[in-house]
Amino acid sequence: MRRASFTSSILSRTLSTVHDGGTVNLHPRLLRVALFSSSRTDNSNSRRHWFSPLLNSFSKSSGQAVSLGLVGVVASVATAASVYAKEPPPAEIIPKDVVLYQYEACPFCNKVKAFLDYYDIPYKVVEVNPISKKEIKWSDYKKVPILMVDGQQLVDSSAIIDQLSEKILPGKAIISVADEDEETKWRRWVDNHLVHVLSPNIYRNTSEALESFDYITSNGNFSFTEKITVKYAGAAAMYFVSKNLKKKYNITDERAALYEATETWVDALNGRNFLGGSKPNLADLAVFGVLRPIRYLRSGRDMVEHTRIGEWYSRMEKVVGESSRIRA
């Protein structure tokens, strides 16, 4: 019984706080119920040998046409590459010391990481222990993400991105609520709508809830007991929390709500590669960021299979690319 009380207590502290400032009040009895209910290689030479007979088959008079055709192909490839290029800012304005305190599966943390990755800003990652939160005891802000930028603490994912934008994108004005443009409108949609349909999908049933907590076994400096406690009891508790969130946001069918949200986003693209046109803007990065932690879970696989978002998501994966982060 002492073990159950201890586990219930730490889960109360851990799960009563939802990432990025949202709060869910969990009754200790709910946690106890949740606890006990879960007991290249280079092929250029081979290509050249294959392509030479084809070129030789053309007559000398058609040489100019072949050359023009090849120029067109090269130009097309270059254009495509430029569409999917990152946008690193000038070296002199890139922050020198950036540290992100995060939960690996947190949508808001991933939103910040999408921004950092796209603008090629090097950063370290500190995985926060969701039980003790010892990694952020120094901060008065007890939620994630927290981003330290050259000694300055930034909190709240959207505020972090706004402040970083001011530092590295000096020509980009921050739009006020009264003068909201398309980019700002859709960034607010992410925070006010899209994120609310994620939890009921991630924790739709016990197996999917457990799947979502698999990250805990390979991230952070957690003891074996902490990993087991967080994975199984946490997954069970969040399963019940997700049911409350369904009621709070009037969601009757969680998958239908997810599909509708993603289709709404694809409609907003209106045939463009990105909402920003030929390259992503902050709204593209926000949507991609919050969806990234679920993409290869069951809910994310279903989302790609049953909606049109797959092509846009693949483009975003290419342009954002791999992170150069260093774990602290």
Side-chain angles (χ1 to χ4, degrees):
M1 183 58 69
R2 290 181 59 192
R3 183 181 303 172
S5 299
F6 168 75
T7 305
S8 179
S9 174
I10 58 177
L11 282 174
S12 295
R13 295 198 306 271
T14 302
L15 297 173
S16 63
T17 301
V18 175
H19 317 306
D20 215 40
T23 300
V24 176
N25 295 318
L26 296 180
H27 195 284
R29 182 180 299 172
L30 172 62
L31 292 176
R32 287 194 290 270
V33 171
L35 174 63
F36 291 111
S37 67
S38 65
S39 305
R40 221 160 2 160
T41 59
D42 186 3
N43 295 320
S44 58
N45 290 334
S46 62
R47 286 196 296 269
R48 184 163 60 250
H49 293 323
W50 174 86
F51 201 55
S52 295
L54 180 62
L55 290 177
N56 292 336
S57 68
F58 286 95
S59 65
K60 186 175 181 180
S61 62
S62 63
Q64 185 177 7
V66 171
S67 299
L68 290 173
L70 289 175
V71 168
V73 170
V74 171
S76 297
V77 172
T79 300
S82 67
V83 168
Y84 300 130
K86 288 192 177 189
E87 292 190 88
E92 60 271 17
I93 64 174
I94 294 180
K96 300 299 185 289
D97 184 24
V98 180
V99 182
L100 175 65
Y101 294 83
Q102 65 149 30
Y103 299 148
E104 180 67 26
C106 164
F108 298 104
C109 299
N110 277 275
K111 182 166 59 162
V112 173
K113 287 193 289 186
F115 180 93
L116 295 172
D117 293 341
Y118 179 66
Y119 287 105
D120 222 10
I121 301 173
Y123 61 99
K124 297 176 182 178
V125 166
V126 176
E127 190 71 21
V128 175
N129 185 313
I131 293 177
S132 68
K133 297 186 174 69
K134 60 184 178 182
E135 293 81 3
I136 56 174
K137 283 189 180 297
W138 52 268
S139 175
D140 292 333
Y141 189 79
K142 300 304 180 183
K143 304 177 181 68
V144 294
I146 296 175
L147 192 71
M148 294 298 298
V149 181
D150 293 335
Q152 178 186 3
Q153 176 180 279
L154 306 180
V155 299
D156 184 279
S157 61
S158 291
I160 288 171
I161 291 171
D162 285 341
Q163 292 173 77
L164 282 178
S165 295
E166 291 178 349
K167 291 177 180 292
I168 70 168
L169 305 173
K172 184 177 180 62
I174 302 301
I175 306 298
S176 67
V177 176
D179 187 28
E180 188 172 81
D181 64 356
E182 182 183 44
E183 179 184 54
T184 307
K185 168 190 171 183
W186 287 101
R187 288 182 65 195
R188 296 187 190 283
W189 174 81
V190 172
D191 292 340
N192 298 330
H193 179 70
L194 180 58
V195 293
H196 297 316
V197 305
L198 296 183
S199 290
N201 279 278
I202 296 171
Y203 312 111
R204 182 175 64 154
N205 52 48
T206 54
S207 64
E208 289 184 60
L210 284 170
E211 179 192 30
S212 72
F213 274 85
D214 279 343
Y215 86 92
I216 205 73
T217 62
S218 57
N219 289 273
N221 299 315
F222 310 142
S223 70
F224 176 77
T225 301
E226 289 172 328
K227 290 177 180 179
I228 295 301
T229 299
V230 173
K231 179 175 179 177
Y232 289 95
M238 289 308 297
Y239 167 79
F240 289 107
V241 169
S242 71
K243 303 309 174 187
N244 290 333
L245 292 175
K246 281 183 65 175
K247 293 179 181 178
K248 179 177 180 179
Y249 295 108
N250 298 315
I251 298 172
T252 55
D253 184 327
E254 54 277 286
R255 280 295 196 268
L258 177 62
Y259 300 162
E260 181 181 3
T262 52
E263 289 290 348
T264 297
W265 171 248
V266 175
D267 287 341
L269 297 175
N270 196 26
R272 294 169 289 183
N273 282 340
F274 308 102
L275 192 75
S278 62
K279 58 186 179 182
N281 63 17
L282 297 183
D284 288 290
L285 293 172
V287 176
F288 175 73
V290 301
L291 292 180
R292 185 153 63 169
I294 78 163
R295 168 60 183 91
Y296 297 101
L297 298 178
R298 172 65 183 275
S299 53
R301 296 194 299 269
D302 287 350
M303 173 187 72
V304 170
E305 181 180 351
H306 293 96
T307 73
R308 298 170 293 155
I309 203 168
E311 291 185 6
W312 171 85
Y313 191 93
S314 295
R315 287 193 293 269
M316 288 297 299
E317 278 190 316
K318 291 176 184 177
V319 72
V320 172
E322 292 295 326
S323 171
S324 58
R325 67 187 186 181
I326 302 172
R327 289 197 177 274

